[in-house]
Amino acid sequence: MTRTLRTQVAVIGAGPAGLLLSQLLAGAGIETVVIDRKDRAYIEGRIRAGVLEQGTVDALSEAGVGDRLHREGLIHHGFDLCFDGDRHRIDLRGLTGKSVTVYGQTEVTKDLFERRFAQAQQFFLGASDTRPEGLKDTRPSVHFTHKGRQIAVEADFIAGCDGFHGPSRQAIPPEVLRTFERVYPFGWLGIMVERPPVSHELIYANHARGFALASMRSQTRSRYYLQCGMQENIADWPDERFWEELSLRLGSDTAASLQTGASFEKSIAPLRSFVAEPMRYGNLFLAGDAAHIVPPTGAKGLNLAVADVRLLSRALIAHYLDHNDHYIDTYSQAVLSRVWKVERFSWQLSTLMHQFPENSPFEQRMQRAEFDYITGSEAAARSIAENYVGLPLE
Ligand code: FAD
Ligand code: DHB
């Protein structure tokens, strides 16, 4: 027997995109049901992004989940690019008047869950076999199994916030969906350690041995990444080997301040650029990683998901409160225009900062020339800075 429920917006996915959308809609009195295949502890524990643009901080504040972020987030006015040991600071505030905030995706997700639970949001966590159906109908629905029961959620709209592997994008017919993809020939090996960061700002380093990133979550917790081969095995990277390699890539001056210790998380992530068009099909809207992936260089993934949700919530609020469908009709086009610019930046910074196995000495010289251009030209540095702090919403 199928249990049928009705709501206004069925949200598939309780990552940052789905949770924030549900929270923003709740603020306008719009009802949602949120469905995820994982449980709350798993979702909150997923270690991912760490740098928030001002627009993301503003969106979380407007959604009423900014208190802890404002108390605990670290405001960064710049970051360093480093090339074979030469360090150059990009002065974000001086070049753009803006800054970024270091606050982990785990914390963003915890804050959103706490608020949604406090407001008695209806969740189906641990759902399986989730299928969006009837996307061109006036009452589309989401079907899934939850605790052994078949559930159908009928809605006016479905928000596909279910990440890269979720079912929403796959529900768009192949003759309608166009995808664009680049898979990079390496991954990022990341560790988390309970030690103060090597520097008070982030360092992105390109070294002949590969890329390295020195990041953080707080003044006592550091996050470091190393470019690694896609076939690498975590078991081959004991902490001592990681610290040795990181020290080489950051250069001896920086490494002199490195505080090493036992890591408590270690994982390898692939790097990919991916865009799906369109981001609306009938009454289904895609948002976040469900529609696009950026390589992590430049920390845009989470920020892009939040920007999508800001535009999607505006469109749905205009529909329900003002009976105005202009933003619904232009959602896909408006979001994709910004998505492609952010894809370009993430691809450019990834291309500049990594060692590509196929690079000839010519391409290596091109990378060095681009670094020298950025360090010598305020216009070039400002271009990096304005993308890093976040492009305007439209
Ligand atoms: P997600 O966070 O992926 O959330 C999607 C949700 O949908 C998940 O909770 C998932 O369980 C759920 N879902 C999936 N399938 C189903 C289904 N069948 N039914 C129901 N629910 C489903 N960005 C950065 O800026 N910096 C980083 O360092 C960084 N590191 C990353 C590391 C990894 C391993 C990954 C995968 C991503 C990383 N990102 C990083 C990107 C960033 O975390 C994402 O862009 C961000 O999480 C996007 O949010 P989202 O809500 O769109 O998707
Ligand atoms: C982090 C990840 C990034 O991709 C990035 O560009 C900066 C910071 C991080 O996880 O801390």
Side-chain angles (χ1 to χ4, degrees):
M1 251 278 285
T2 299
R3 179 182 160 210
T4 302
L5 283 84
R6 298 177 72 87
T7 190
Q8 289 177 298
V9 182
V11 179
I12 310 181
L19 290 172
L20 179 62
L21 180 66
S22 167
Q23 176 66 15
L24 289 169
L25 294 181
I30 299 165
E31 190 188 282
T32 56
V33 169
V34 180
I35 303 134
D36 201 292
R37 70 191 173 105
K38 298 291 187 186
D39 63 25
R40 181 176 173 181
Y42 181 94
I43 297 169
E44 288 184 349
R46 255 186 324 223
I47 295 176
R48 289 181 171 178
V51 178
L52 308 184
E53 296 170 359
Q54 187 58 48
T56 300
V57 172
D58 292 347
L60 293 166
S61 306
E62 280 160 29
V65 286
D67 290 355
R68 196 162 69 94
L69 162 58
H70 286 291
R71 271 199 318 276
E72 296 178 13
L74 304 176
I75 299 190
H76 283 200
H77 300 308
F79 68 89
D80 278 4
L81 289 178
C82 177
F83 226 89
D84 287 333
D86 297 340
R87 262 169 80 172
H88 176 79
R89 182 167 187 264
I90 302 289
D91 177 5
L92 295 173
R93 194 165 58 163
L95 290 161
T96 68
K98 294 183 185 154
S99 306
V100 293
T101 302
V102 170
Y103 191 71
Q105 180 168 331
T106 45
E107 308 314 302
V108 171
T109 314
K110 276 181 208 158
D111 295 345
L112 282 164
F113 258 123
E114 196 177 293
R115 181 52 70 97
R116 297 314 296 126
F117 268 101
Q119 295 180 342
Q121 167 64 40
Q122 183 157 27
F123 281 106
F124 289 95
L125 301 177
S128 59
D129 200 20
T130 308
R131 304 174 314 278
E133 287 183 6
L135 303 179
K136 288 275 188 180
D137 302 344
T138 45
R139 295 294 291 174
S141 52
V142 181
H143 298 254
F144 54 94
T145 306
H146 186 254
K147 295 186 176 160
R149 289 188 74 177
Q150 301 293 315
I151 316 265
V153 176
E154 291 183 359
D156 301 329
F157 300 104
I158 299 174
C161 303
D162 45 1
F164 184 63
H165 299 287
S168 296
R169 186 181 69 252
Q170 283 153 31
I172 301 178
E175 62 276 17
V176 174
L177 192 72
R178 263 194 96 184
T179 59
F180 304 81
E181 182 169 46
R182 167 155 202 196
V183 177
Y184 297 79
F186 40 74
W188 277 19
L189 169 65
I191 66 162
M192 195 80 92
V193 63
E194 208 59 58
R195 287 284 184 280
V198 65
S199 164
H200 69 288
E201 291 179 346
L202 271 62
I203 307 170
Y204 293 82
N206 186 345
H207 184 273
R209 298 177 68 89
F211 169 80
L213 169 58
S215 181
M216 66 193 74
R217 288 294 177 274
S218 70
Q219 270 148 9
T220 56
R221 182 173 285 191
S222 305
R223 177 83 165 146
Y224 295 106
Y225 296 96
L226 290 176
Q227 175 184 351
C228 67
M230 271 321 292
Q231 309 309 325
E232 298 262 2
N233 201 328
I234 288 184
D236 297 330
W237 282 93
D239 289 347
E240 308 75 61
R241 181 177 173 206
F242 189 98
W243 295 124
E244 237 170 72
E245 189 63 34
L246 182 68
S247 301
L248 288 172
R249 294 187 193 184
L250 291 176
S252 48
D253 286 357
T254 305
S257 319
L258 187 61
Q259 296 198 37
T260 63
S263 67
F264 64 88
E265 198 266 352
K266 198 179 278 169
S267 55
I268 295 180
L271 269 72
R272 181 194 304 272
S273 298
F274 175 89
V275 180
E277 295 182 350
M279 285 176 60
R280 176 195 181 183
Y281 177 73
N283 287 318
L284 169 74
F285 297 86
L286 300 180
D289 280 17
H292 43 69
I293 299 287
V294 288
T297 336
K300 290 294 155 207
L302 171 60
N303 291 299
L304 202 49
V306 168
D308 289 2
V309 163
R310 296 183 90 182
L311 292 174
L312 182 53
S313 64
R314 179 182 72 177
L316 293 168
I317 291 169
H319 169 85
Y320 284 110
L321 271 54
D322 304 331
H323 308 290
N324 170 3
D325 280 353
H326 169 73
Y327 293 118
I328 279 195
D329 293 337
T330 55
Y331 170 75
S332 179
Q333 199 187 338
V335 171
L336 281 167
S337 151
R338 189 173 184 283
V339 163
W340 276 113
K341 287 183 228 162
V342 179
E343 288 283 348
R344 186 207 65 82
F345 174 67
S346 305
W347 161 80
Q348 182 204 31
L349 199 58
S350 300
T351 306
L352 172 65
M353 297 310 294
H354 290 82
Q355 293 290 319
F356 287 73
E358 71 269 22
N359 269 5
S360 68
F362 177 80
E363 274 112 7
Q364 289 165 11
R365 284 289 199 278
M366 285 293 105
Q367 283 186 329
R368 179 73 215 194
E370 192 173 338
F371 176 75
D372 290 343
Y373 175 50
I374 293 163
T375 61
S377 156
E378 193 176 296
R382 182 171 289 119
S383 167
I384 302 256
E386 76 169 350
N387 279 279
Y388 196 87
V389 298
L391 295 174
L393 210 50
E394 280 181 297

